[in-house]
Amino acid sequence: TGIGTASVIINANTTFTANAVVLNSNNFTLNGTAGQSATLSTFGSTMLGGAITIGTSSQNNYIIAQDGTLIINGNIDGTGDLILLGSAFTATYFNVPPTVVPQGSQTGAMIINGEVGRTTPLNTITSNVAVTFGGTDNITVGDQFWDAANPITLVADAKFISLNGNVTINAAINGHFPLTIRAAGVATINGAIGNLDAVQFITMSAPTIYLNGGIITSTGSQSYNGNVIFTNTTYNTLAPNSTVTFTNSFATQSIAVK
């Protein structure tokens, strides 16, 4: 790789590119600023073993799997905004975080085995890449947005938690592990859950929860704590004696519990 085990600091208006390498001990820090991005871009099968820090007050920090699979084994922490992408992009920088438009098809994917925001919650997360989660936590102070075109796969229990903002998941979520979604604001689920591979348990908590994905399937119990609003949603529990529990009020256009 040519950089040994050194720490790598990626400052504003800078791109660090890794092409089909294994970086076991390198720690990365991304320090994007308003209008200038700090980008960690990978091609081919690449593995990052060290920790990743998203710099303080950063607005434009990108981790991109341009093609192939990027495996992140270290934890991701920091107080900035993180954007995950599966292709090259254009961005509108005057928005915070920026509005990102992928260029071409999404050919990259990520496997994130580390914790995200567990020690120091990130400000926001915006994802436009297919992600497999082998870690547990994705914690932000502000909003989280997970794009519809790129599925989320669980290979361990996963939590999506916004301490002061909203969680919006437009992607389908599959994988036989517990799923927790918690938001201080609004939790919006527009993708199916467990439609290909049932999740294990589901726990959602927010003042307002929108469930618009059409189908939610688990092998164990499901729990919803908040004002729940459904749109043509079917709830499937595949194990005997499993339950679907609603705490607080709910409104519905169509609901089926099986």
Side-chain angles (χ1 to χ4, degrees):
T1 65
I3 58 174
T5 60
S7 295
V8 178
I9 299 174
I10 305 171
N11 287 319
N13 203 29
T14 303
T15 298
F16 178 94
T17 301
N19 192 344
V21 296
V22 175
L23 303 176
N24 277 323
S25 302
N26 302 95
N27 296 325
F28 288 85
T29 299
L30 279 67
N31 288 323
T33 60
Q36 294 184 316
S37 62
T39 303
L40 173 57
S41 181
T42 66
F43 293 84
S45 297
T46 299
M47 185 178 75
L48 305 179
I52 298 175
T53 301
I54 307 302
T56 303
S57 300
S58 301
Q59 297 176 5
N60 302 298
N61 300 294
Y62 298 86
I63 300 177
I64 306 174
Q66 297 262 16
D67 61 54
T69 301
L70 168 61
I71 302 173
I72 300 174
N73 289 331
N75 293 339
I76 303 175
D77 287 292
T79 57
D81 300 292
L82 173 62
I83 298 172
L84 305 174
L85 295 173
S87 71
F89 69 96
T90 57
T92 303
Y93 288 114
F94 56 76
N95 295 331
V96 181
T99 298
V100 176
V101 179
Q103 295 177 349
S105 60
Q106 299 280 310
T107 57
M110 293 186 189
I111 299 173
I112 301 179
N113 293 321
E115 311 288 353
V116 180
R118 185 172 186 178
T119 300
T120 305
L122 304 183
N123 188 37
T124 65
I125 298 174
T126 301
S127 175
N128 289 81
V129 64
V131 184
T132 297
F133 283 104
T136 298
D137 294 340
N138 298 277
I139 303 176
T140 57
V141 175
D143 295 342
Q144 298 185 28
F145 176 83
W146 304 86
D147 179 62
N150 299 286
I152 294 172
T153 303
L154 310 183
V155 294
D157 63 305
K159 300 175 182 177
F160 301 86
I161 299 172
S162 173
L163 301 176
N164 293 324
N166 307 313
V167 174
T168 301
I169 301 179
N170 293 336
I173 303 174
N174 287 282
H176 189 221
F177 292 90
L179 170 66
T180 299
I181 298 171
R182 189 165 71 240
V186 177
T188 303
I189 311 302
N190 291 322
I193 297 177
N195 60 315
L196 300 178
D197 183 13
V199 300
Q200 190 173 18
F201 302 100
I202 298 173
T203 303
M204 294 191 196
S205 179
T208 302
I209 302 171
Y210 290 95
L211 300 174
N212 305 319
I215 186 169
I216 299 176
T217 303
S218 65
T219 58
S221 297
Q222 302 176 25
S223 175
Y224 304 89
N225 183 9
N227 296 315
V228 181
I229 301 171
F230 316 99
T231 302
N232 300 321
T233 301
T234 299
Y235 300 82
N236 299 309
T237 59
L238 303 182
N241 302 318
S242 295
T243 59
V244 178
T245 303
F246 298 97
T247 303
N248 217 321
S249 63
F250 65 88
T252 177
Q253 293 184 19
S254 176
I255 178 173
V257 179
K258 300 180 179 181

